[in-house]
Amino acid sequence: MIVKPIPYGRQHITEEDIQAVVETLRSDYLTQGPKINEFETAFAAYTGANYAVAVSNATAGLHLCAVTLGVKPGDKVIVPPITFAATANCIRYCGGEVVFCDIDKETYLMDIHKLKSMLEAAPKGAYKGIILVDFAGYPVYLKEFKKLADEYGLWIIEDACHAPGGYFVDEEGKKQYCGNGEFADLAVFSFHPVKHIATGEGGMITTNSKERYDKLCLYRTHGITKDPVLLHENHGGWYYEMQELGYNYRITDFQAALGISQLKRADAGLKKRQEIAQRYNQAFARVENLSIPYVSDDIYHAYHLYVIQVKDRLGLYDYLRKNHIHAQVHYIPLHLMPYYQGLGNKKGDLPVAEAYYEHCLSLPMYPTLSEENVECIIKNVLLYVSCNK
Ligand SMILES: Cc1ncc(COP(=O)(O)O)c(C=O)c1O
């Protein structure tokens, strides 16, 4: 019998989603139609940001952010090492220099104390910006980072790919949703199938700045505008101008239709992720050689990932795989990738991230993970860990 493995993450597609896509396929627009604006409006409302710009994927979105913020060759930008490669690569696309800052050993997010030391040690103006990642779905306490960023004249990109719907509660008791534009200049979300909202490929940028929003729209479509107010000349109804060197980073209308339909279930999906995390927490809380993700009372974790630390990570990974449970590792520290080592980074540079990597393992986490599967995962993890002390 062929057993279907349990992946670490997967999409949830309903009949309603399929209908929404089919309707759009039957409509007049496959791309550049009304569904895109509808998706952007709904997503902006979901995050609380003033503007949203849908893009072909989050990697393109991050690149657009870097272009919009004017990253130039030689500009130094600070990035955490525990993230997907795209977070840092967007700076390299523009010729900028990626400088890594180590993570906090509890939250696995960028360590603000280390960031502060880096900024204090460098001449004023040495860095242009910071990219902060809501890693695994844990919202960065952006208010503190914003204070520091303002002090040093830095912009902030929030890589919120793991955290739509997540928030932290500030000192005034206000819920600050990931990507709400209050603290970061720009935020980016991904709609890859393992993420909370799936459109196949897809992404969204949110911001509260009209100026940045206009630039993002321009760069998303080749740097071309037809807006009569912005044109240098006007030869008639067909006339457009390419005013900047832009890209084709558009999403299609049928993907946007899927996104709109998925967004309606986003909160229900988050709730389910929370329930699965509670069950894992309960099962693993007092297990020797295993630790569960840190949470604090003032955050609402979006649980894109449920990351444990386990003494014998390779052994557990292999054992689970033999039992058709496909756990995953997030992430191999970015500064240790051959490409980034080639740029002068090396082992030993970021000890907390490197120690984290030695023992981290992401257990399956997605809203349609059945109770039976959750119990099977728990049973297998406990069995392996108790027999391999
Ligand atoms: C933190 C983070 N940033 C960026 C990306 C890139 O997203 P996409 O696959 O939509 O380009 C991912 C995707 O895995 C991610 O996890």
Side-chain angles (χ1 to χ4, degrees):
M1 192 179 74
I2 297 170
V3 181
K4 207 172 166 200
I6 304 174
Y8 85 88
R10 67 160 291 146
Q11 71 276 16
H12 177 210
I13 302 291
T14 63
E15 267 315 305
E16 226 181 346
D17 292 341
I18 293 167
Q19 277 316 310
V21 174
V22 168
E23 256 174 49
T24 308
L25 289 175
R26 292 203 170 106
S27 78
D28 292 335
Y29 291 95
L30 294 190
T31 192
Q32 293 179 279
K35 284 292 164 193
I36 297 176
N37 196 254
E38 194 183 323
F39 187 27
E40 290 171 339
T41 305
F43 198 83
Y46 185 66
T47 57
N50 291 348
Y51 306 98
V53 178
V55 285
S56 47
N57 54 66
T59 304
L62 284 158
H63 185 199
L64 281 190
C65 289
V67 170
T68 299
L69 291 163
V71 176
K72 295 185 304 302
D75 283 357
K76 287 187 177 162
V77 176
I78 303 174
V79 177
I82 297 300
T83 185
F84 185 60
T87 308
N89 292 350
C90 65
I91 301 307
R92 298 296 302 142
Y93 299 154
C94 299
E97 197 180 313
V98 174
V99 183
F100 292 102
C101 173
D102 212 347
I103 57 165
D104 176 88
K105 70 178 191 317
E106 280 183 325
T107 61
Y108 315 143
L109 308 179
M110 188 188 283
D111 183 335
I112 195 161
H113 304 293
K114 296 211 174 95
L115 173 67
K116 198 159 186 267
S117 308
M118 280 171 73
L119 294 172
E120 281 168 359
K124 207 113 180 140
Y127 299 103
K128 300 292 179 200
I130 330 167
I131 306 184
L132 295 161
V133 181
D134 299 311
F135 171 68
Y138 195 113
V140 174
Y141 199 88
L142 280 173
K143 204 166 180 174
E144 288 297 314
F145 282 92
K146 170 77 172 147
K147 260 192 241 159
L148 207 52
D150 284 347
E151 202 181 315
Y152 286 86
L154 309 173
W155 48 252
I156 297 178
I157 297 174
E158 179 185 7
D159 182 334
C161 287
H162 294 185
Y167 61 79
F168 70 86
V169 182
D170 68 15
E171 317 80 278
E172 284 128 48
K174 191 167 170 217
K175 289 177 186 172
Q176 300 287 357
Y177 281 88
C178 295
N180 72 358
E182 281 281 320
F183 309 107
D185 295 276
L186 296 161
V188 180
F189 296 85
S190 168
F191 306 133
H192 179 274
V194 294
K195 302 297 197 297
H196 298 68
I197 295 160
T199 62
E201 297 285 351
M204 193 75 81
I205 308 166
T206 55
T207 182
N208 281 351
S209 155
K210 172 76 166 70
E211 193 189 325
R212 298 231 157 91
Y213 168 75
D214 288 340
K215 276 194 184 171
L216 290 166
C217 293
L218 190 68
Y219 285 117
R220 173 179 59 178
T221 305
H222 308 280
I224 285 176
T225 184
K226 283 185 98 171
D227 184 345
V229 181
L230 301 175
L231 294 176
H232 297 189
E233 298 174 26
N234 198 342
H235 305 170
W238 68 88
Y239 189 73
Y240 64 84
E241 284 174 358
M242 186 197 125
Q243 298 183 335
E244 297 287 344
L245 182 61
Y247 308 86
N248 179 354
Y249 283 165
R250 294 187 299 257
I251 197 169
T252 63
D253 269 56
F254 47 95
Q255 287 172 303
L258 181 54
I260 295 163
S261 184
Q262 293 253 319
L263 187 57
K264 292 180 191 155
R265 293 197 310 281
D267 282 339
L270 269 183
K271 197 160 161 275
K272 200 70 218 294
R273 286 172 188 270
Q274 290 271 340
E275 284 165 17
I276 295 167
Q278 300 315 329
R279 179 65 195 110
Y280 280 151
N281 285 345
Q282 235 177 16
F284 302 139
R286 274 170 289 279
V287 176
E288 217 185 319
N289 297 327
L290 187 160
S291 62
I292 59 174
Y294 174 81
V295 276
S296 83
D297 289 343
D298 58 359
I299 63 128
Y300 185 70
H301 202 304
Y303 285 114
H304 162 53
L305 302 172
Y306 183 91
V307 184
I308 58 169
Q309 285 274 313
V310 60
K311 190 172 151 206
D312 178 12
R313 191 260 312 272
L314 178 61
L316 178 59
Y317 172 89
D318 287 341
Y319 177 79
L320 291 177
R321 235 173 143 93
K322 262 190 226 128
N323 287 283
H324 313 289
I325 298 164
H326 289 190
Q328 212 15 300
V329 169
H330 299 94
Y331 289 98
I332 304 162
L334 211 42
H335 69 290
L336 299 182
M337 288 291 157
Y339 174 78
Y340 282 104
Q341 290 211 39
L343 295 174
N345 299 284
K346 60 183 187 314
K347 202 162 183 167
D349 283 352
L350 303 164
V352 183
E354 290 168 31
Y356 160 86
Y357 167 62
E358 289 303 313
H359 300 285
C360 67
L361 192 67
S362 307
L363 297 181
M365 169 58 86
Y366 47 94
T368 52
L369 191 62
S370 68
E371 257 175 59
E372 194 191 345
N373 281 346
V374 172
E375 295 311 318
C376 164
I377 294 159
I378 291 172
K379 188 185 83 191
N380 277 285
V381 170
L382 292 179
L383 198 64
Y384 184 83
V385 174
S386 63
C387 295
N388 294 277
K389 288 192 177 160

